[in-house]
Amino acid sequence: MTADADTIFAVASGAGRAAIAVVRVSGDGAGTVLARLCGRVPPARRASLRSLRDAGGEILDRAVVLWCPAPSSYTGEDSAELFLHGGPAVVAGVCETLVALGGRPAEPGEFTRRAFFNGRMDLLEAEAVADLVEAESSAQRRQALRQLDGALGALYRGWAERLTRLCAQQEALIDFPDEALPDGQEAAMLAEVDTVLAEIEGHLDDDRRGERLREGLVIAIAGAPNAGKSTLINALVGRDVAIVAPTAGTTRDVLEARAVFGGVPVTLLDTAGVRASDDPIESEGVRRARARAAAADLVVLVQDGTDDIAPAVPGGRRLVVASKADLGADGRSADVAVSALTGLGMAQLRERLGAIAQDLAGAAGPPALTRPRHRAALLGAAGALRRAREASQAELRGEDFRTALLEFGRITGRIGAEQVLDSVFGQFCIGK
Ligand code: GDP
């Protein structure tokens, strides 16, 4: 970068009135801008209290200023952070002055984009920054931090280094006559291809754990009309999301509520009572319910504990909950019996949901694949390695190794099509 490193700035803290608002400035002109704003540039990396003035010399704020010269800054450029009093007039005054001094408002993700271009982080780490900013639950935070500290990058770099060695060995096989090479070199190479391939396939075959955790799980609450689904959702999220009524068929559409179970964020879908109906609006609700339930990570099948007939609901993993336990039904055929009205069994249900969510999202364990973008590249690399194993000619095998390496370069951003970078950084908020 640095060729077009004009000086950018952004309010990095949240919108609205707050005690403190943080404004970030970065770029070649950051030092000049800072000197004009607060008299002189404060000592590097030391919090300094300064009066900030507009172009006409009027004081805008008394604020803490942090000066981080290149290259040891977040972006790798000359940077400053201003910790302003958070009032809108102070923030607006400082931003107007920054524009008057030649700064321009940053685009979403522009600070991190610069950090990436200046070699301060690879693409995986940049994505982890975005995930950390978005993290809603403890498990998401841990996953983002694991990616940010480079654990995932180290795994991918390890495979890329082994592929580079394979490439070199392959070249040697082509360039030197057979007799000059130690016996069994080709067999050893193919064995290494098998090992790397098996490791990548193991990483891919993770039931989408990391992606599920990043995106949050979807749990569909399904069951016959009046089974007690709406009441259960309301009890689980602690507020009235779903309409509860004694008339069958009240919930006509799919309602959503957000919750966290076992540190994993979850969207709960209250599906319309699953039953055949002549009413076209209710039939549409039933159709949507079946479709959402089929795509959900987990179906919680609510069964009226007092009548014990389970309707057929499509979908993968499921947990059967017998409702209305306070009415004396034993719910023997269910996994958990609850009363959403009295709270009986609700703690056990939360515990079960937490355990299933952690299992599905792989909240513990080795670094998991977190994005479809990485999955696509790894599938490409695995495909190339499979071809390499089958290749009849040594020259073709070398080409397959290079293709696999290219895919790893895509993940870390060493080989970056501009569209990939745009899509990665476009998802950031302004000020990151
Ligand atoms: P849905 O159609 O499956 O969403 O069912 P609702 O949540 O609307 O509940 C249907 C009826 O069952 C309502 O009258 C609720 O008050 C009642 N109900 C739901 N849960 C319980 C419960 O745990 N105990 C008792 N006694 N009644 C319940």
Side-chain angles (χ1 to χ4, degrees):
M1 153 121 343
T2 53
D4 65 339
D6 41 347
T7 302
I8 54 169
F9 70 90
V11 181
S13 48
R17 203 176 299 248
I20 292 173
V22 181
V23 170
R24 264 185 163 170
V25 186
S26 182
D28 292 345
T32 318
V33 166
L34 196 60
R36 297 274 302 275
L37 195 65
C38 60
R40 64 197 149 80
V41 174
R45 274 172 279 285
R46 282 248 307 275
S48 316
L49 189 64
R50 288 282 188 275
S51 290
L52 309 186
R53 292 170 193 273
D54 69 11
E58 185 184 343
I59 293 189
L60 297 165
D61 195 10
R62 288 272 293 161
V64 170
V65 174
L66 196 60
W67 165 238
C68 298
S72 303
S73 67
Y74 180 77
T75 54
E77 303 171 334
D78 282 347
S79 301
E81 283 183 15
L82 314 171
F83 299 86
L84 310 173
H85 288 99
V90 175
V91 176
V94 169
C95 290
E96 281 162 21
T97 305
L98 287 170
V99 171
L101 294 175
R104 85 162 156 79
E107 308 280 341
E110 199 169 1
F111 289 90
T112 310
R113 192 182 185 109
R114 289 184 175 198
F116 166 73
F117 275 111
N118 290 324
R120 301 289 293 167
M121 57 178 73
D122 66 18
L123 211 47
L124 285 166
E125 288 159 352
E127 285 172 332
V129 170
D131 287 352
L132 197 54
V133 173
E134 294 291 325
E136 285 178 72
S137 76
S138 52
Q140 280 183 322
R141 182 190 65 220
R142 278 185 214 111
Q143 173 161 288
L145 280 171
R146 239 178 332 185
Q147 187 167 330
L148 185 62
D149 75 16
L152 198 60
L155 184 68
Y156 295 161
R157 266 195 307 280
W159 284 327
E161 277 160 21
R162 286 160 72 187
L163 282 173
T164 310
R165 276 199 294 278
L166 282 169
C167 268
Q169 288 168 6
Q170 182 62 45
E171 293 297 324
L173 273 184
I174 297 169
D175 290 349
F176 299 101
D178 288 8
E179 56 270 24
L181 289 168
D183 275 355
Q185 170 134 353
E186 184 158 15
M189 235 178 72
L190 289 177
E192 170 71 348
V193 173
D194 282 343
T195 315
V196 174
L197 184 58
E199 287 176 21
I200 295 175
E201 281 171 342
H203 183 66
L204 278 167
D205 183 22
D206 64 348
D207 200 22
R208 289 187 63 247
R209 286 182 303 124
E211 289 149 286
R212 279 189 168 132
L213 176 54
R214 215 190 128 248
E215 290 157 15
L217 299 179
V218 176
I219 298 184
I221 312 283
N226 262 350
K229 301 180 293 298
S230 306
T231 314
L232 183 68
I233 288 211
N234 290 338
L236 281 173
V237 299
R239 66 193 156 90
D240 282 353
V241 191
I243 316 149
V244 180
T247 330
T250 313
T251 315
R252 286 200 162 145
D253 208 333
V254 182
L255 292 169
E256 293 196 12
R258 304 276 292 164
V260 173
F261 297 120
V264 179
V266 162
T267 300
L268 292 168
L269 302 179
D270 181 7
T271 59
V274 178
R275 64 166 193 178
S277 168
D278 295 334
D279 177 350
I281 301 176
E282 197 180 337
S283 299
E284 175 58 18
V286 169
R287 194 193 61 75
R288 289 192 202 178
R290 286 187 190 277
R292 297 291 297 263
D297 297 300
L298 172 73
V299 177
V300 170
L301 186 57
V302 183
Q303 210 170 280
D304 189 327
T306 56
D307 69 11
D308 236 23
I309 316 155
V313 179
R317 192 156 172 174
R318 69 178 54 198
L319 184 75
V320 181
V321 174
S323 65
K324 310 183 190 181
D326 56 300
L327 296 182
D330 60 12
R332 239 177 315 171
S333 57
D335 298 305
V336 195
V338 303
S339 166
L341 284 189
T342 66
L344 187 76
M346 287 299 290
Q348 286 96 303
L349 176 59
R350 279 176 201 285
E351 220 168 89
R352 286 291 287 270
L353 288 174
I356 295 173
Q358 285 187 345
D359 183 32
L360 283 170
L369 221 163
T370 52
R371 286 178 193 245
R373 187 181 81 77
H374 309 167
R375 182 175 296 281
L378 288 168
L379 282 170
L385 288 181
R386 256 178 246 119
R387 283 197 302 279
R389 222 174 29 181
E390 308 304 329
S392 51
Q393 290 166 25
E395 288 83 355
L396 296 178
R397 201 184 293 141
E399 197 47 44
D400 294 328
F401 289 154
R402 275 187 291 278
T403 305
L405 257 177
L406 210 71
E407 296 288 1
F408 280 103
R410 285 212 174 94
I411 298 183
T412 53
R414 255 183 334 109
I415 297 153
E418 201 55 23
Q419 311 87 289
V420 175
L421 300 181
D422 281 345
S423 89
V424 168
F425 291 108
Q427 290 160 13
F428 277 72
C429 48
I430 292 171
K432 254 294 163 200

